[in-house]
Each structure stands twice: as C-alpha cells, then as structure tokens.
Amino acid sequence: MARTEPCILTNMCMLRQGDRVLVQDRNDPDWPGITFPGGHVEPGESLVRSVIREVCEETGLTIEDPRLCGVKQWTEEDGSYRYLVFLFRAERFTGELRASDEGEVYWLPLSELQNRPLPSGFPEMLPLFLRDDLSETYHFLEDGEWRCENL
C-alpha cells in the first residue's frame, strides 16, 4: 500500500480584533459566501508563510504570529487526491485594509457571522477556530452521502 498520495494544500485565517473578525465576501461562484481569507500553499512554501502571504494578498494586512488551530480535510469522491485546509488564528496585524479580486473584506461582529450566507462546509469548520478542544474537521463519504466529523 502506498504511503503517499496527491494532495492540495490550502490555508485560512480567522483574524480577530476584539469581538470582530475579518471576513471576505467571496467572488468565486464555486465557493461563494462570507468566509475568512486564505488560499493555496505554493510548492516549497511553509504553511505559516503561505497564510501570511495569502491574507496580505487578499486584505492588504500583514498578520503576525498566526497560530495553527486546526485542519479541515476530505478525499475527492474518486479518490484522486486529498484536500487539506490548514486553519490559523491571528490577532495582530499591520497595514491598511483593502479588497482584492477575491472579494470585498470587512470587519464583522463574530456574533453575526452565522446569520450571513456562508459557503458549503464553512459552518462545520468554524468551531475549530473558536474551541481549543477540537483540531480537525473530517468530511467523508458514507453510503453515498457526505458526512462531517469534528474531532
């Protein structure tokens, strides 16, 4: 049995300022809605540097001391690859907030986030950003239906 498999590596960061979080209203028709900024890890790039770069590209802000708080993962239905999203939290940043081609960005009270249109799978991973007793959200097919387990 092979011990390696193709995978896609991505990241996402919840930037928090008091009771507010920085959100992005995504333009992507494949995954629209209100979410946190993030993106792909480039080949040879560290996970931490990738999330700092992605947040800056999408928001104009340079985050400091991002902390890994969880992982979201699933394997494509045909088994061709695994998709990993490394989830980070940060509270310190510099720079001026600005939008990008990815979508508008703005501060939103955390308490209002659940009342916004959220992308598929985002509500299931939100607890990983907020709770220290969880570290993984795992999506898997069971009897032809997608299920999710937070661990």
Side-chain angles (χ1 to χ4, degrees):
M1 177 183 214
R3 294 194 180 252
T4 62
E5 63 183 299
C7 65
I8 294 176
L9 305 176
T10 63
N11 60 57
M12 182 177 285
C13 185
M14 179 181 76
L15 183 54
R16 196 166 183 170
Q17 188 178 52
D19 67 343
R20 302 181 314 158
V21 291
L22 184 65
V23 296
Q24 181 178 60
D25 188 357
R26 292 180 45 86
N27 291 330
D28 186 348
D30 292 331
W31 206 61
I34 305 298
T35 186
F36 300 139
H40 286 83
V41 178
E42 299 295 334
E45 185 177 37
S46 80
L47 299 175
V48 169
R49 286 191 176 124
S50 75
V51 76
I52 293 170
R53 175 186 53 75
E54 283 289 348
V55 170
C56 188
E57 287 175 2
E58 295 182 3
T59 71
L61 303 178
T62 301
I63 58 173
E64 299 174 18
D65 301 321
R67 296 290 168 215
L68 186 64
C69 60
V71 176
K72 174 183 178 176
Q73 66 166 313
W74 70 92
T75 300
E76 196 59 25
E77 284 185 55
D78 64 4
S80 60
Y81 63 89
R82 183 182 298 244
Y83 201 106
L84 296 165
V85 186
F86 295 92
L87 309 176
F88 289 85
R89 289 186 294 233
E91 294 183 358
R92 296 180 22 208
F93 61 91
T94 58
E96 296 292 322
L97 187 62
R98 61 157 173 73
S100 72
D101 292 342
E102 298 284 334
E104 290 298 317
V105 289
Y106 56 93
W107 294 99
L108 179 71
L110 181 58
S111 61
E112 292 182 26
L113 186 58
Q114 293 283 14
N115 301 325
R116 301 297 172 107
L118 304 175
S120 171
F122 186 78
E124 292 83 5
M125 77 172 119
L126 190 55
L128 276 72
F129 290 104
L130 303 172
R131 293 176 44 189
D132 290 333
D133 62 325
L134 296 174
S135 61
E136 177 184 16
T137 183
Y138 180 60
H139 296 252
F140 57 97
L141 275 174
E142 184 175 83
D143 299 325
E145 290 189 37
W146 282 101
R147 308 234 188 259
C148 176
E149 186 173 39
N150 281 353
L151 308 164

